[in-house]
Amino acid sequence: QVQLVESGGGLVQPGGSLRLSCATSKFTLEHYSIGWFRRAPGKKREGISCVDPGNGRAVYTDSMKGRVTISRDAQKNTVYLQILSAKPEDTATYYCAAGDCDLYNGMDYYGKGTLVTVSS
């Protein structure tokens, strides 16, 4: 069973930064790509980034490219999404996902999400 637990969301000021975490199992981290998506109020789900389980190669969509970095810690079985220069339009629920990396059509498994609010 694939379990994904996000954390790290909250209130951040415009221009600020935060790091989201996705805790999972060693098996999941070693066998699935792990990705990040978001869904803003009234908008469709949007893919952000994913990381390959084997070579650790990361891919990004244009949605937040240049302001986010995905990374993983194999010791902690955790994947991170670092967000810089936060904007009010980044306000959304951010979801961690596992499966084949497909940031446009979606992946197989999702966590429950963590809410990020960018506001002064």
Side-chain angles (χ1 to χ4, degrees):
Q1 185 177 0
V2 175
Q3 290 190 324
L4 303 160
V5 181
E6 303 92 337
S7 62
L11 178 65
V12 60
Q13 292 189 339
S17 63
L18 73 167
R19 187 178 73 167
L20 306 181
S21 300
C22 173
T24 186
S25 68
K26 178 179 174 66
F27 180 87
T28 298
L29 198 62
E30 291 180 345
H31 291 83
Y32 295 99
S33 291
I34 304 296
W36 284 96
F37 293 76
R38 67 180 180 180
R39 188 189 297 271
K43 295 189 177 181
K44 294 182 180 180
R45 183 186 63 203
E46 182 178 46
I48 302 169
S49 179
C50 63
V51 60
D52 185 273
N55 58 26
R57 188 176 72 93
V59 294
Y60 299 89
T61 64
D62 289 338
S63 64
M64 300 182 75
K65 195 172 186 177
R67 297 193 296 117
V68 295
T69 302
I70 192 170
S71 62
R72 61 180 186 176
D73 185 334
Q75 297 298 317
K76 296 182 178 180
N77 297 324
T78 299
V79 174
Y80 302 100
L81 185 72
Q82 178 77 45
I83 301 173
L84 303 176
S85 302
K87 303 177 181 180
E89 51 264 43
D90 292 331
T91 295
T93 299
Y94 286 72
Y95 299 90
C96 178
D100 292 332
C101 178
D102 188 338
L103 297 173
Y104 298 97
N105 297 304
M107 296 171 69
D108 295 319
Y109 305 98
Y110 291 87
K112 293 183 178 180
T114 185
L115 178 63
V116 173
T117 302
V118 183
S119 175
S120 55

